[in-house]
Amino acid sequence: MFPTSQRRRVYLMRHGSVTYFDAGGKPFLPETVALNEQGCAQASAAGHAFAAEGIHFDRVIVSGLPRTVETATRVLAATGQGIDIDIWPEFEEIRGGRLSTIADADLKEAFTGAFEGMVGEDKRFLGGESVGQLMDRIHPAVTRLRGQDDWGTVLLVLHGGVNCAILSLALTGQRIFLGGLSQTAGCINALDVGEAEGDWVVRFVNYSPPAPLQTSTRSTTMEQLYEQYRLSR
């Protein structure tokens, strides 16, 4: 048991890079994609960053999708920690609809609209789940985690949209979704939580161990995926 009178630390990661589309823009099943070579390197780099600071995790939680499990496994291998990985399916990524049903004129908005500015709850991602429905899953899971007293430091390895929902809650204390919070593949965020519901301290956001200054691109993840998928139209 850990004291709840002092803040506890949440390390919130996004999984490492994966390949969602083939060279012709045809999508792979997002529920099955694994880390690509770059994603493996990102996950291991995150693990080495934790190891360099001597950070020990009391709990490790993933969504259960292969890309989160593999990232967490590589992080733990790099830190030398033999911790069982817990799967919380409610932390799965915001769920898209069928890409083939989206008209060409609506395609860019379908990809990027849920990750631009302060997003309304009715905004749907790729014609599928809405931002409100995502928050309906994420917020209770965060409350559940905060109510458990068996951890002082927890590692969550989740997804870009899910991380935005958690960070938005921490930053505003409200049911708000800030879509412009970039989450680079394999990035680390640090949040401290206190006993009171609104006691959040955001320590840092979107730290990318392999490339901390993130000079390789100025486009978002969803802009990049939109350009990849366009090849199939």
Side-chain angles (χ1 to χ4, degrees):
M1 180 179 295
F2 295 84
T4 57
S5 58
Q6 62 183 15
R7 292 192 181 98
R8 298 178 290 168
R9 173 61 56 89
V10 177
Y11 286 108
L12 174 64
M13 284 190 64
R14 184 189 171 201
H15 61 79
S17 179
V18 301
T19 303
Y20 290 104
F21 303 98
D22 67 17
K26 181 179 178 181
F28 300 114
L29 283 174
E31 298 83 7
T32 64
V33 290
L35 299 185
N36 55 30
E37 183 177 356
Q38 182 182 25
C40 291
Q42 291 164 337
S44 295
H48 291 307
F50 287 124
E53 296 292 331
I55 293 171
H56 175 82
F57 307 117
D58 303 304
R59 298 272 303 279
V60 178
I61 298 172
V62 303
S63 73
L65 295 179
R67 54 195 187 269
T68 65
V69 176
E70 186 175 1
T71 299
T73 300
R74 288 181 174 274
V75 167
L76 289 174
T79 62
Q81 298 180 60
I83 301 173
D84 291 336
I85 296 173
D86 294 334
I87 294 175
W88 288 26
E90 56 266 56
F91 279 138
E92 289 183 4
E93 181 60 299
I94 188 169
R95 295 154 184 155
R98 293 180 60 85
L99 290 174
S100 60
T101 66
I102 303 172
D104 288 353
D106 300 326
L107 194 59
K108 187 174 189 300
E109 172 66 17
F111 267 83
T112 65
F115 294 95
E116 295 177 337
M118 187 178 296
V119 185
E121 291 197 24
D122 60 347
K123 176 64 71 175
R124 295 192 176 275
F125 175 65
L126 295 176
E129 191 174 31
S130 71
V131 165
Q133 289 170 327
L134 173 67
M135 291 191 291
D136 286 341
R137 291 194 282 113
I138 302 307
H139 287 197
V142 171
T143 300
R144 173 186 166 201
L145 177 63
R146 293 186 63 169
Q148 298 176 347
D149 62 1
D150 60 348
W151 61 274
T153 301
V154 63
L155 173 65
L156 306 182
V157 183
L158 306 175
H159 306 269
V162 174
N163 288 6
C164 279
I166 295 173
L167 289 167
S168 297
L169 177 63
L171 287 166
T172 70
Q174 302 178 55
R175 187 180 166 89
I176 290 175
F177 188 84
L178 304 173
L181 291 168
S182 178
Q183 290 290 280
T184 303
C187 73
I188 306 169
N189 311 275
L191 305 88
D192 290 343
V193 297
E195 189 171 2
E197 180 180 358
D199 188 349
W200 291 91
V201 179
V202 178
R203 296 294 179 184
F204 61 81
V205 173
N206 200 33
Y207 172 62
S208 177
L213 299 185
Q214 302 184 35
T215 58
S216 63
T217 184
R218 297 190 182 184
S219 58
T220 68
T221 297
M222 294 314 302
E223 287 170 345
Q224 295 168 23
L225 295 180
Y226 164 67
E227 293 297 336
Q228 293 172 23
Y229 177 66
R230 282 182 61 199
L231 299 173
S232 68
R233 290 287 179 122

